[in-house]
């Protein structure tokens, strides 16, 4: 899994042979940074110090802070049936066992399948074996319920989980799913949503949340054909995205083997699979949420010949990268396809490496820098503030540099600001209209004065009128007085209560002869005086 800082966390087993006939099997984890350095010692961290029983079947998820939460089972060899203790522990970003040196025991089961675990969006965790456990950051089991039919946990965006599995109607299994909230209540129709009414008996079930939808793919009967690889997606309310029925992965649907479904740009998704058409091999297609093909309508051939153990991941910019070994010469093969459906095309993304703000006297200056750009039309500057009715408002556009491998620095000045809290983000737009949002930055604008200040009048000297400006840091009663050269008060320009802020008064010379005068800002706590001159 990713560690959130450009590195990864991996789990593995070490097997120690102890002559003449025993061994110890331990589960370990290791954190590796982006340069390949081990961060948790040369041999990693043991998830438990217990060595009584062989350990294995592990799975892990991120803890959101550079560490992980890992589950595993410990084998109890016995007759007539072996049993397994299911345990879980948290390893923090320093490689320390957080939930004790033995971890937390969840259940004992005869099921030897690997345990599943996912991070919930609210910072908790879901573990699935024969029961579903919801566990908080402190290792406390918040609740549990049976998962005899449904499993395959996938987190939803509100702290809940989506569970999927097969239920039987006679001899034919169906693919079903249910979404539960953080308290374990069902959110979709009871008892579950039916996705497919004819699931191949040995079909794997794959579920992934992509662009706000839950995508499923499986093998099953369709149009009289026994084994067709199909897919469907559910909305957050449990309704089907593709109302026209479940869809075949491939234009040549028989015996298609799915590699993966991956997110792409602007709500689209990429399918990668193998099938046994006459020119068999690996194929790909990008589709929109109406399932319209966006690449070659006959599918894009990625490799001729069949892979084994085909693994496919996103390239992070709308395309895909695949890896597997060839069945005939056992060579390791890899491919890359861009978001435009071009094999081997390397796209330089618009890589934003910094975005910051600087508050000056009366405006906010935004600065950002890109490392590389491809087909960059430019950046919309968006602002969110109470003054904007609490919605994101477009306040400007900065033209991009198109395509470049050189760093580029940009700036934008927001002069329409008053005291308050402002959020800013960038909407980077490609020449083809696709876009991506930057992270948000928050700026606290406070134009309230920090001290009493009486400014020099302007103009000075003056003939007819002059402006006297002053600022006060808090609500207070004050006076602005005029004195002659002898220090005698001759005029009060203002007297009363004023809130914190900047103010001004106008002094007319109509009733005053030429000469030098003093003016003052006076409160209960301060008195400031400056000199002015009238020339007629």
């Amino acid at each position: 899994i990713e560690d959130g800082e450009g590195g990864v966390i991996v789990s593995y087993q070490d097997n120690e042979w102890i002559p003449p006939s025993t061994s110890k099997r331990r589960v370990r984890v290791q954190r590796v940074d982006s340069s390949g350095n081990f961060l948790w010692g040369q041999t990693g961290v043991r998830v438990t110090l217990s060595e009584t029983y062989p350990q294995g079947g592990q799975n892990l998820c991120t803890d959101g802070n550079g560490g992980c939460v890992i589950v595993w089972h410990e084998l109890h060899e016995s007759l007539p049936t072996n049993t397994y203790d299911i345990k879980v522990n948290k390893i923090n970003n320093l490689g320390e066992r957080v939930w004790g040196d033995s971890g937390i025991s969840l259940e004992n089961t005869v099921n030897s399948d690997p345990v599943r675990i996912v991070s919930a969006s609210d910072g908790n965790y879901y573990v699935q074996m024969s029961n579903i456990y919801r566990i908080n950051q402190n290792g406390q089991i918040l609740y549990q319920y049976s998962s005899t039919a449904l499993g395959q946990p996938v987190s939803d965006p509100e702290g809940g989980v989506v569970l999927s599995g097969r239920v039987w109607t006679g001899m034919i299994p169906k693919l079903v799913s249910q979404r539960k909230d953080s308290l374990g209540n069902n959110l979709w129709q009871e008892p579950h949503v039916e996705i497919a009414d004819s699931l191949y008996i040995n079909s794997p079930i794959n579920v992934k949340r992509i662009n706000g939808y839950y995508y499923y793919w499986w093998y099953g009967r369709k149009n009289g054909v026994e084994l067709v690889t199909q897919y469907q997606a559910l909305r957050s309310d449990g309704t089907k995205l593709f109302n026209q029925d479940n869809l075949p992965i491939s234009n040549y649907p028989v015996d298609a083997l799915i590699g993966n479904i991956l997110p792409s740009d602007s709500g689209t998704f990429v399918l990668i699979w193998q099938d046994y058409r006459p020119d068999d091999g690996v194929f790909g297609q990008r589709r929109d949420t109406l399932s319209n093909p966006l690449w070659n309508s006959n599918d894009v051939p990625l490799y001729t010949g069949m892979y084994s153990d085909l693994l496919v991941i996103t390239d992070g910019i709308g395309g895909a990268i695949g890896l597997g070994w060839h069945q005939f010469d056992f060579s390791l093969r890899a491919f890359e396809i861009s978001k435009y459906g071009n094999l081997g095309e390397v796209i330089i993304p618009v890589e934003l490496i910094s975005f910051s703000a600087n508050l000056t006297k009366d405006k906010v200056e935004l600065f950002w820098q890109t490392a590389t750009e491809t087909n960059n039309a430019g950046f919309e500057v968006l602002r969110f503030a109470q003054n904007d009715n609490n919605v994101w408002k477009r306040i400007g556009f900065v033209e991009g540099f198109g395509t470049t491998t050189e760093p580029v620095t940009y700036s934008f000045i927001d002069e329409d600001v008053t005291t308050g809290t402002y959020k800013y983000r960038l909407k980077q737009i490609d020449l083809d209209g696709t876009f991506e949002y930057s992270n948000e930055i928050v700026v606290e604008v406070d134009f309230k004065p920090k001290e009493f200040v009486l400014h020099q009048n302007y103009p000075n000297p003056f003939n007819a009128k002059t402006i006297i400006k002053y600022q006060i840091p808090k609500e207070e009663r004050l006076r602005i007085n005029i004195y002659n050269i002898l220090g005698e008060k001759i005029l009060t320009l203002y007297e009363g209560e004023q809130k914190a802020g900047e103010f001004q008064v106008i002094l007319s010379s109509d009733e005053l002869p030429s000469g030098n005068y003093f003016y003052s800002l006076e409160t209960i706590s301060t008195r400031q005086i400056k000199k002015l001159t009238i020339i007629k």
Side-chain angles (χ1 to χ4, degrees):
I1 60 171
E2 298 179 8
D3 68 353
E5 299 180 11
V8 295
I9 299 174
V10 296
S11 68
Y12 56 96
Q13 300 172 21
D14 76 60
N15 296 293
E16 179 185 3
W17 172 251
I18 302 175
S21 60
T22 60
S23 65
K24 292 183 178 180
R25 189 168 73 237
R26 311 177 184 92
V27 172
R28 294 179 181 265
V29 287
Q30 177 64 271
R31 185 179 179 190
V32 185
D33 67 18
S34 58
S35 299
N37 300 309
F38 293 161
L39 301 183
W40 291 345
Q42 289 303 305
T43 58
V45 177
R46 292 166 59 180
V47 299
T48 175
L49 297 185
S50 172
E51 296 183 340
T52 306
Y53 304 104
Q55 303 159 16
Q58 72 270 20
N59 211 330
L60 71 166
C61 68
T62 179
D63 71 350
N65 294 299
C68 68
V69 177
I70 183 167
V71 291
W72 71 95
H73 61 227
E74 296 182 357
L75 169 63
H76 292 246
E77 295 181 300
S78 59
L79 294 175
T81 305
N82 292 335
T83 62
Y84 300 84
D85 280 339
I86 308 302
K87 294 193 172 183
V88 59
N89 209 339
K90 181 177 181 180
I91 312 297
N92 67 16
N93 63 332
L94 300 177
E96 301 167 333
R97 289 179 292 274
V98 178
W99 295 342
D101 287 336
S102 299
I104 300 169
S105 294
L106 297 180
E107 65 179 67
N108 183 267
T109 179
V110 297
N111 189 346
S112 63
D113 292 339
V115 192
R116 297 177 182 272
I117 183 170
V118 295
S119 303
S121 60
D122 60 1
N124 296 307
Y125 310 97
Y126 288 99
V127 177
Q128 180 240 323
M129 199 61 190
S130 57
N131 291 301
I132 297 288
Y133 299 87
R134 179 172 163 86
I135 304 174
N136 68 13
Q137 288 278 358
N138 297 320
Q140 297 174 310
I141 299 174
L142 302 178
Y143 63 78
Q144 67 187 72
Y145 47 83
S146 173
S147 65
T148 54
L150 301 184
Q152 307 278 115
V154 175
S155 298
D156 75 4
E158 299 176 3
V161 65
V162 172
L163 303 173
S164 307
R166 50 172 57 85
V167 296
W168 293 82
T169 303
M171 298 297 294
I172 302 176
K174 296 181 178 181
L175 173 58
V176 299
S177 189
Q178 179 60 262
R179 180 182 174 193
K180 291 179 175 288
D181 65 17
S182 59
L183 299 177
N185 301 308
N186 290 347
L187 298 179
W188 291 346
Q189 70 181 42
E190 298 289 355
H192 38 61
V193 173
E194 181 180 304
I195 301 167
D197 61 4
S198 179
L199 191 66
Y200 184 65
I201 191 170
N202 293 322
S203 172
I205 298 172
N206 302 281
V207 189
K208 181 182 288 187
R209 186 170 182 267
I210 299 175
N211 301 324
Y213 303 111
Y214 301 94
Y215 281 83
Y216 302 76
W217 59 102
W218 68 93
Y219 309 145
R221 176 178 291 274
K222 186 175 180 65
N223 299 328
V225 179
E226 180 67 28
L227 191 60
V228 178
T229 304
Q230 303 165 62
Y231 69 97
Q232 179 60 268
L234 298 184
R235 300 181 179 90
S236 60
D237 62 0
T239 59
K240 290 184 177 181
L241 178 63
F242 307 117
N243 295 323
Q244 65 269 41
D245 198 6
N246 303 324
L247 301 170
I249 292 286
S250 169
N251 285 330
Y252 187 83
V254 180
D255 292 339
L257 306 175
I258 186 67
N260 212 336
I261 297 181
L262 305 168
S264 189
D265 285 351
S266 305
T268 64
F269 59 98
V270 171
L271 300 159
I272 304 293
W273 72 92
Q274 303 179 85
D275 64 40
Y276 294 97
R277 65 185 76 186
D279 51 344
D280 61 0
V282 181
F283 298 86
Q285 184 58 264
R286 180 182 172 199
R287 295 181 179 272
D288 62 20
T289 53
L290 298 177
S291 197
N292 297 313
L294 303 179
W295 294 344
N296 187 318
S297 60
N298 293 321
D299 304 328
V300 176
L302 306 179
Y303 182 76
T304 300
M306 300 302 290
Y307 277 22
S308 288
D309 299 324
L310 175 62
L311 302 174
V312 188
I313 62 171
T314 176
D315 65 359
I317 49 176
I321 298 172
L323 177 69
W325 57 272
H326 195 270
Q327 290 183 352
F328 303 113
D329 61 12
F330 304 106
S331 59
L332 195 62
R333 307 291 181 93
F335 62 84
E336 192 274 343
I337 185 169
S338 74
K339 65 180 180 180
Y340 304 113
N342 299 321
L343 189 63
E345 178 183 32
V346 178
I347 296 178
I348 304 171
V350 177
E351 182 182 356
L352 186 68
I353 58 177
S354 67
F355 181 34
S356 60
N358 181 39
L359 178 62
T360 60
K361 181 180 179 181
D362 56 357
K363 56 184 175 290
V364 175
E365 296 178 323
L366 304 176
F367 303 93
W368 64 97
Q369 187 179 44
T370 60
T372 58
E373 297 183 17
T374 297
N375 298 326
N376 181 22
F379 302 86
E380 284 187 0
V381 182
L382 305 177
R383 186 181 75 183
F384 184 97
Q386 185 174 4
N387 295 340
D388 300 329
N389 297 319
N390 287 325
V391 296
W392 285 101
K393 176 183 177 183
R394 183 183 187 273
I395 60 172
F397 181 83
V398 178
E399 187 174 347
F401 268 67
T403 299
T404 178
T405 58
E406 299 295 326
V408 181
T409 301
Y410 298 90
S411 64
F412 179 84
I413 297 177
D414 183 9
E415 298 180 332
D416 183 22
V417 291
T418 57
T419 296
T421 300
Y422 294 83
K423 294 181 182 180
Y424 294 92
R425 70 179 180 184
L426 304 172
K427 181 180 180 181
Q428 185 273 314
I429 305 174
D430 287 347
L431 294 175
D432 64 0
T434 59
F435 61 87
E436 184 176 1
Y437 291 107
S438 73
N439 62 301
E440 300 172 9
I441 56 176
V442 179
V443 179
E444 296 288 346
V445 177
D446 186 2
F447 289 151
K448 294 179 181 178
K450 303 299 186 293
E451 59 183 351
F452 291 95
V453 176
L454 178 64
H455 296 284
Q456 186 63 53
N457 65 302
Y458 182 83
N460 187 51
F462 69 100
N463 185 319
K465 293 181 180 180
T466 190
I467 297 175
I468 299 174
K469 293 185 177 181
Y470 58 96
Q471 64 184 45
I472 57 175
K474 59 183 179 177
E475 184 175 354
E476 193 148 353
R477 185 173 183 82
L478 60 89
R479 293 186 299 273
I480 304 295
N481 291 329
I482 306 296
Y483 297 87
N484 62 21
I485 197 66
L486 300 176
E488 300 169 334
K489 184 173 72 172
I490 59 175
L491 183 64
T492 296
L493 290 179
Y494 177 83
E495 181 174 9
E497 294 278 347
Q498 284 189 321
K499 295 183 179 180
E502 292 191 2
F503 305 93
Q504 68 179 38
V505 292
I506 297 176
L507 172 62
S508 172
S509 65
D510 291 348
E511 304 297 328
L512 300 173
S514 297
N516 293 321
Y517 297 84
F518 297 101
Y519 63 98
S520 67
L521 166 64
E522 301 175 22
T523 73
I524 193 172
S525 59
T526 188
R527 187 171 190 244
Q528 297 185 23
I529 299 175
K530 288 188 178 296
K531 182 180 177 181
L532 61 81
T533 302
I534 298 175
I535 299 177
K536 293 187 177 180

